[in-house]
Amino acid sequence: MFLDIDKFSREQVAIIDESYQKVTYGELCDFTDEMKKLELERAIVFSLCENSAGALAGIIAFETLKVVPLLLSSHIEKELLSALESIYTPSYYWVPESFEDKPAGEVLFQKYGYWLIRTRNRGYKIHDKLSLLMTTSGSTGSPKLVRYKYGNLEANAKNVAKAFGWTNKERCIADLPLQYTMGLNVINSHLVVGATILLIKSNLMSMEFWDFIKKQRGTNFTGVPFSYEIMMKLRFTRMNLPDLYTLAEGGGKLTDELYVKLCAYAKEKGKRFCPTFGTTETSARMAFCPPDMAAEKIGSIGKAIPGGELFLLDDEGNEISDIVAQGELGYRGPNVTMGYGICREDLEKGDEWQGEYHTGDIARRDEDGFYYIVGRKKRFLKLFGLRVSLDQCERLLKTDFDGEFACVGTDKKMTIYTTNQEAASKTPKYLSEKLNMNILAFQARYIANIPKNDTGKTVYAKLPIE
């Protein structure tokens, strides 16, 4: 069974979703056995995900039975779904009963509010090691996929569980989307120890969210930076959350100010704050900062998770041996996936990365071997001959101004988009002084909303570059 879930007590509750549907580990095994009787061919299944018991049970069954799911949101745009279907021609769909535009085909199975539909598409050859397909965080509007091999998800789940010290007593608050690599890893790293998953669809800003986690005694929460920005606005640090012990963060870089606030909150309330870092290409997580070091190493992603290795590369792609250094962040480990796919034929490819991935992130390493993300390799401009990090500029602005900011541009000029209309008139001068650069290098534009994907990451492609 996937994640060896059949080794746990059959009566242990594995999933509680927001409809208060409970599924035990024994029932998950039985569900997979029912699917097995269908004798599904080894083929692609489009799994349209929501944070519910049915969606998760389907993923577990497909991984066990060697059917290869492509994880997509159940709220996916029709045009994108149609484009993906024309490229990857799935043999099956796993969709919620409530999904409006169900594909044509035969309904083979129904359970936990989901339908398994066999389409009219014929199967085709895929690589023996291919286990799972996911969109990358930057490719939600394109057919570019990450190809996982068998063992990637399991290795990352076990090593992350070891880093956090998870046990079967945990009641994991899972509100990140299932089809998001961090969301799936949060779940897998708890299933692998026999813990209980609290699956939530409600928005962080809703009363339903907080009522559910309080009633279900959630013990740990993992959020992206956007999650914690919202929670701070809701003044969650004043809430009575006696069961919540661990706050984890991943999916992007927090501002130093927010990092410090979370460290202070954890210390004051007797909880722990654990920053992490990872990518879709590494099955979610590759770095972990121990909670007892977070306050001392403000802004750090920590060191490699158990079983992995972090390293830095210079501009020529050579590994940097100096302890204190800056360069492109690289990672080696059993959770490194096989490579990308942009067409059906790519699903026949084998392991192109061979356990090593170069992230495209620029990081620095301190004298104690702790890593800090500086920015993206491609998120730099060369203004008036000087190299400027767009990510660093955003962090500077977020530190001294309210609202949201997104920086884009060319080597001629940087454009700063902000939801703070008053700040728009001040940011060019602010950045020119902070960076000691000509004010003509900057221009600011007010925008009602910064475009974001479903995990709160800025979609820079939707911002005009002037």
Side-chain angles (χ1 to χ4, degrees), residues 76-192:
I76 188 172
E77 295 178 357
K78 292 180 182 179
E79 294 78 11
L80 177 55
L81 181 59
S82 178
L84 289 168
E85 183 175 33
S86 66
I87 294 169
Y88 295 108
T89 58
S91 295
Y92 305 101
Y93 266 87
W94 181 242
V95 298
E97 290 178 353
S98 58
F99 190 70
E100 291 182 1
D101 298 309
K102 291 187 179 68
E106 178 188 1
V107 177
L108 300 178
F109 184 66
Q110 293 174 257
K111 195 158 188 176
Y112 298 139
Y114 261 70
W115 290 11
L116 180 65
I117 300 172
R118 187 196 296 276
T119 70
R120 299 189 181 104
N121 298 320
R122 296 181 63 184
Y124 53 90
K125 186 178 179 182
I126 56 180
H127 197 275
D128 291 344
K129 291 183 178 179
L130 185 65
S131 158
L132 179 83
L133 295 165
M134 271 195 176
T135 60
T136 71
S137 59
S139 69
T140 51
S142 81
K144 184 179 180 181
L145 306 178
V146 175
R147 298 178 291 113
Y148 287 66
K149 63 183 175 183
Y150 290 107
N152 284 155
L153 295 175
E154 296 90 335
N156 205 225
K158 291 174 182 177
N159 290 331
V160 168
K162 183 177 180 180
F164 278 96
W166 296 144
T167 72
N168 63 359
K169 304 299 182 185
E170 294 292 336
R171 296 174 70 83
C172 162
I173 301 166
D175 83 311
L176 293 175
L178 265 176
Q179 73 277 3
Y180 173 47
T181 186
M182 184 69 73
L184 185 60
N185 176 260
V186 167
I187 290 166
N188 289 344
S189 61
H190 285 81
L191 289 176
V192 79

Side-chain angles (χ1 to χ4, degrees), residues 129 149 332-333 336-339 350-357:
K129 291 183 178 179
K149 63 183 175 183
R332 299 185 187 98
V336 175
T337 54
M338 293 200 292
D351 189 350
E352 296 180 304
W353 289 338
Q354 294 294 314
E356 179 171 313
Y357 176 65

Side-chain angles (χ1 to χ4, degrees), residues 396-440:
L396 287 171
L397 292 164
K398 288 177 181 178
T399 299
D400 287 350
F401 295 97
D402 293 328
E404 296 181 56
F405 295 86
C407 298
V408 296
T410 67
D411 288 346
K412 292 183 178 180
K413 184 165 285 192
M414 181 190 300
T415 301
I416 304 114
Y417 289 93
T418 177
T419 58
N420 183 334
Q421 198 160 11
E422 183 181 352
S425 62
K426 300 177 181 179
T427 51
K429 182 180 179 183
Y430 170 86
L431 284 178
S432 71
E433 292 176 351
K434 282 283 186 181
L435 302 175
N436 193 26
M437 294 184 65
N438 193 314
I439 194 171
L440 296 176

